[in-house]
Amino acid sequence: MAAKPVNVWDYERLAEERLDPGAFGYFAGGAGNEWTLGENVAAFGRLHLRPRVLVVVGTATTETTVLGQDVSMPVLVAPTGFHRLAHPEGELATARGTAAAGTVMCLSTPASASPAELAAAAPEGKHWFQLYWPRDRGFTGELLAGVVEAGFGALMLTVDFPTAGRRERDIRASFRLPADLPLPNLPVGLGTGDFHAALSEMVDPTLTWRDLEWLRSVCPLPLLAKGIMTAEDALLALEHGAAAIVVSNHGGRQLDGVPATVDVLPEVLEAVGGRTEVFLDGGVRRGTDVVKALALGAQAVLVGRAVVWGLAAAGEKGVRHVLELLRAEVALALTLLGCPTPLDVGRAHVVRAR
Ligand SMILES: Cc1cc2nc3c(=O)[nH]c(=O)nc-3n(C[C@H](O)[C@H](O)[C@H](O)COP(=O)(O)O)c2cc1C
């Protein structure tokens, strides 16, 4: 593709051209029939915006706050593993590009950079840490001490991963990790065989809501529960001290057949009743997707694959450009909706298509 990429879809095509098919399949793929993967995107198309006209918006600002931290836009970078499969500089390039765009990057547990390395690469960046909780509690405690020491702003516990979903693209391609891939946030290597199985083996499968108490006792950072898909679990998360909730189905990579995240967002928001901020990820490819989520009541969204496509296409610059494109799309959508700021977008700005 010769022309300059102008949106996230263009970056996806570029990434597909640049990556070897196994790595592209790892990033793009979902579980089972990939029905949920498709639904995450399709569901945004079933929500229609209701603009208000002849409103003097001036220059709309996309700036907002997440857990009290200022960010340039209501779009954060979701945790995604193994960025060195997309670009040799891996997570360090993602961190620099995200810092330049003025938003939060969530560092994934299966990353090739430690929290300290990430902070050193992008000292002006805002970083959160995503935890896959290992069986080894001693290791987990030390890892989290490093997260706090590196100045990270929040801890995001992924609650929808007692074991990996079945990713058939990786099975077909016999996709394997390079033997020399550093994974400093894991207590064990993932080997050169089935890395989804190895990661599943590493995660503690006995965790229950009660374990959040231990997590909060060893880590003073605000705790987000990522992977909530029901009102019941949203309430349990709050009861056990979560400071915020991330409505997520892991980008359609875990239980195929669950609904699109934007379809369950209202149920979760109703249960939470404004007590904490609620975030959403899954299927966000456009600024208009972002404002639809805001209109339903999300504080912000996170983007996973969109950023990986930028990284694969052009490293740090690509990450920054993807995020800047999304920011400009959000600013335009706010202006055309008649909303000067993200907080002005409300329920009256969106309607479900009949
Ligand atoms: C390639 C890839 C790797 C991922 N790795 C992780 C991970 O390590 N930890 C985690 O909590 N979620 C992980 N996720 C899920 C994302 O955090 C996020 O929920 C999802 O990507 C959002 O959907 P989107 O890609 O449509 O934006 C991963 C997703 C993808 C696509």
Side-chain angles (χ1 to χ4, degrees):
M1 188 171 70
K4 192 172 156 54
V6 300
N7 61 35
V8 168
W9 300 110
D10 288 350
Y11 268 102
E12 178 170 355
R13 280 193 293 276
L14 268 181
E16 186 165 13
E17 282 167 23
R18 304 246 161 119
L19 293 175
D20 73 68
F24 179 77
Y26 163 71
F27 288 120
N33 286 338
E34 300 190 337
W35 181 83
T36 297
L37 173 66
E39 267 295 284
N40 277 348
V41 173
F44 280 110
R46 297 192 295 262
L47 290 171
H48 293 179
L49 291 166
R50 298 184 70 245
R52 299 300 309 276
V53 296
L54 296 183
V55 178
V56 181
V57 169
T59 311
T61 176
T62 57
E63 287 173 17
T64 188
T65 62
V66 287
L67 297 176
Q69 283 183 267
D70 294 329
V71 283
S72 61
M73 60 181 139
V75 180
L76 321 179
V77 174
T80 51
F82 311 123
H83 285 193
R84 283 214 198 163
L85 298 177
H87 189 273
E89 289 167 29
E91 286 79 8
L92 303 185
T94 312
R96 292 190 199 106
T98 307
T103 191
V104 166
M105 170 178 169
C106 302
L107 177 67
S108 176
T109 300
S112 292
S114 68
E117 287 165 339
L118 203 80
E124 72 291 11
K126 302 170 209 298
H127 304 132
W128 294 357
F129 187 76
Q130 175 268 326
L131 183 66
Y132 283 143
W133 191 329
R135 291 169 193 256
D136 181 341
R137 283 234 165 159
F139 178 88
T140 306
E142 280 170 32
L143 177 65
L144 296 179
V147 168
V148 175
E149 173 77 23
F152 279 41
L155 176 64
M156 183 181 280
L157 174 66
T158 300
V159 293
D160 63 2
F161 196 96
T163 190
R166 190 172 154 84
R167 321 274 170 81
E168 293 182 3
R169 294 198 205 201
D170 294 345
I171 298 169
R172 281 216 182 83
S174 297
F175 183 60
R176 301 290 183 249
L177 297 176
D180 58 352
L181 189 71
L183 295 168
N185 309 319
L186 296 179
V188 289
L190 296 180
T192 50
D194 177 348
F195 62 94
H196 294 300
L199 193 60
S200 302
E201 186 55 32
M202 190 274 310
V203 169
D204 186 344
T206 70
L207 297 174
T208 69
W209 288 108
R210 298 250 293 277
D211 293 294
L212 265 60
E213 281 151 37
W214 182 84
L215 203 55
R216 288 171 56 231
S217 75
V218 296
C219 182
L221 299 177
L223 177 65
L224 295 98
K226 171 179 183 278
I228 300 292
M229 288 293 287
T230 61
E232 295 90 317
D233 280 341
L235 290 174
L236 282 165
L238 295 196
E239 215 175 282
H240 290 86
I245 281 168
V246 184
V247 175
S248 173
N249 55 32
H250 219 106
R253 293 161 79 83
Q254 286 295 91
L255 181 61
D256 194 35
V258 301
T261 46
V262 80
D263 282 341
V264 302
L265 179 64
E267 162 182 340
V268 171
L269 282 160
E270 198 186 343
V272 168
R275 279 173 286 173
T276 63
E277 292 179 358
V278 174
F279 302 93
L280 166 141
D281 73 27
V284 175
R285 306 289 184 267
R286 284 287 188 186
T288 45
D289 301 334
V290 180
V291 296
K292 287 173 186 178
L294 298 185
L296 292 174
Q299 182 70 16
V301 305
L302 299 95
V303 289
R305 293 179 182 84
V307 163
V308 171
W309 305 146
L311 179 66
E316 171 187 340
K317 267 173 48 191
V319 169
R320 180 178 183 168
H321 191 217
V322 160
L323 290 170
E324 278 172 357
L325 286 170
L326 285 171
R327 203 201 64 74
E329 288 185 13
V330 172
L332 179 61
L334 289 175
T335 305
L336 295 178
L337 271 181
C339 295
T341 78
L343 291 180
D344 296 310
V345 189
R347 278 305 271 118
H349 291 107
V350 73
V351 65
R352 197 158 285 283
R354 268 184 262 145

